[in-house]
Amino acid sequence: MNKWATSGSIFNSATMRKKHVELLAYDEKLRHHPDMRIKLDLDDGVKVNYGKFGDLLSDVKAVTGGKEE
């Protein structure tokens, strides 16, 4: 049996289907952001700039390692 065809493989169809659905949902959210021309100010810092992207990016706490203000 091929090592890529095992049930524990990340390539099994159920896992791939789940990842595909997740990527389609993310693509739908991402689609409108390039046209928004979001202005970022580096002096505002990561926490403020991340907030401008809504739920598109990871939680601020996960990125900065600190607590949200």
Side-chain angles (χ1 to χ4, degrees):
M1 177 183 258
N2 184 335
K3 71 177 183 173
W4 303 110
T6 62
S7 63
S9 172
I10 61 167
F11 296 106
N12 69 41
S13 63
T15 302
M16 292 301 284
R17 197 172 310 117
K18 182 178 174 184
K19 290 192 180 293
H20 184 251
V21 169
E22 181 182 344
L23 288 171
L24 287 174
Y26 184 74
D27 183 56
E28 192 61 38
K29 287 186 210 177
L30 184 64
R31 182 168 302 196
H32 306 287
H33 278 73
D35 296 329
M36 293 172 63
R37 297 187 176 251
I38 299 171
K39 293 193 184 265
L40 301 177
D41 185 353
L42 296 179
D43 292 331
D44 288 342
V46 173
K47 291 181 183 182
V48 172
N49 288 326
Y50 259 49
K52 295 178 182 180
F53 289 93
D55 64 346
L56 251 156
L57 303 174
S58 296
D59 293 332
V60 172
K61 186 175 180 182
V63 173
T64 63
K67 71 179 201 188
E68 291 184 18
E69 295 176 352

